[in-house]
Amino acid sequence: MNVLLDHLAEFREGFIGTVWLTVASSVLALILGIVLAGFRVSPVPPLRFFGTAWVTLFRNTPLTLLFLTIWFAVPQVFDFGFDPWTKALIVLSVYTSSFVCEAVRSGINTVPLGQAEAARSIGMTFFQTLGSIVLPQAVRTVLPPLSSIFIALTKNSAIAGAFSVTELFGWQKVLSDQGFAIAWLFLWVALGYLVITFTISGLFRLLERSLEVAR
């Protein structure tokens, strides 16, 4: 308990850093994933190709390799000068968007084809049909896998701690290097992640209940 109380400010800073990184990455990944899912079911071949290539590339690339790429390889080509937090945000958002895309695409495929055909018959465009007819009906199917994806994102954010990003796992590394008992550090860090993941799970359960259909 002493390691927590004596360094409560550091743990609090790390916890808040993890929360902000998770929330920001989740929002960007959700927006990007929905757009990519639209590309993947689009009647336009170049959009379908782009969406498929994006998902294939980032779903099959280790997350640690993406971190190493944007930290060490990309700056040799593009000197954009982003700070570590922004780099972590980009990597986590891009990586997670590929999983969000597939979850949303699966939800879209559960909507009967007749719904889209009926929308087209009254003159709606593809994107109007997708946004007004298909996606609202796919939400119930998409919520459970999205919950798992964002919980995984929370845990993946721990990798950012190894790249000088202020978050829970990063502070654990700093304190363990100072000689504090690593078992207790891991315990408090794990509890911090549990609070975040249980909160995400609870929020999605509330959303599922509010959208469920009475049987």
Side-chain angles (χ1 to χ4, degrees):
M1 181 63 73
N2 288 341
V3 68
L4 176 64
L5 296 178
D6 293 344
H7 298 276
L8 188 59
E10 289 88 342
F11 278 104
R12 182 173 62 248
E13 183 180 2
F15 181 82
I16 293 173
T18 297
V19 170
W20 277 117
L21 185 59
T22 299
V23 171
S25 301
S26 297
V27 171
L28 289 180
L30 181 61
I31 295 171
L32 187 55
I34 291 174
V35 172
L36 290 168
F39 285 1
R40 292 214 63 188
V41 299
S42 169
V44 182
L47 293 181
R48 289 202 307 272
F49 174 80
F50 180 84
T52 301
W54 182 285
V55 170
T56 301
L57 174 63
F58 290 111
R59 283 190 74 188
N60 296 288
T61 302
L63 181 56
T64 305
L65 179 59
L66 293 178
F67 270 95
L68 291 172
T69 299
I70 197 171
W71 246 264
F72 303 110
V74 173
Q76 295 181 2
V77 181
F78 304 103
D79 187 18
F80 44 65
F82 289 156
D83 60 271
W85 193 90
T86 303
K87 291 179 182 179
L89 175 65
I90 293 172
V91 172
L92 290 171
S93 301
V94 166
Y95 179 78
T96 307
S97 69
S98 62
F99 294 91
V100 172
C101 171
E102 289 302 274
V104 173
R105 186 175 69 90
S106 298
I108 290 173
N109 289 335
T110 64
V111 179
L113 184 60
Q115 298 283 331
E117 293 176 343
R120 285 197 296 268
S121 70
I122 62 174
M124 297 181 70
T125 65
F126 168 76
F127 288 107
Q128 286 175 331
T129 302
L130 186 66
S132 301
I133 306 298
V134 178
L135 284 178
Q137 297 184 66
V139 170
R140 294 189 187 94
T141 308
V142 170
L143 284 178
L146 283 184
S147 175
S148 299
I149 290 170
F150 291 141
I151 287 173
L153 168 60
T154 304
K155 293 181 285 187
N156 287 338
S157 69
I159 299 177
F163 292 87
S164 304
V165 178
T166 301
E167 55 85 55
L168 273 173
F169 192 76
W171 273 116
Q172 172 274 323
K173 183 176 181 299
V174 171
L175 294 176
S176 64
D177 289 343
Q178 295 178 8
F180 291 96
I182 195 169
W184 287 107
L185 292 173
F186 279 150
L187 173 63
W188 296 121
V189 169
L191 288 176
Y193 280 110
L194 282 174
V195 170
I196 300 173
T197 55
F198 281 169
T199 301
I200 294 173
S201 180
L203 288 174
F204 272 89
R205 276 200 297 269
L206 288 175
L207 285 172
E208 290 175 37
R209 289 173 184 170
S210 65
L211 295 173
E212 67 182 358
V213 178
R215 301 183 183 276

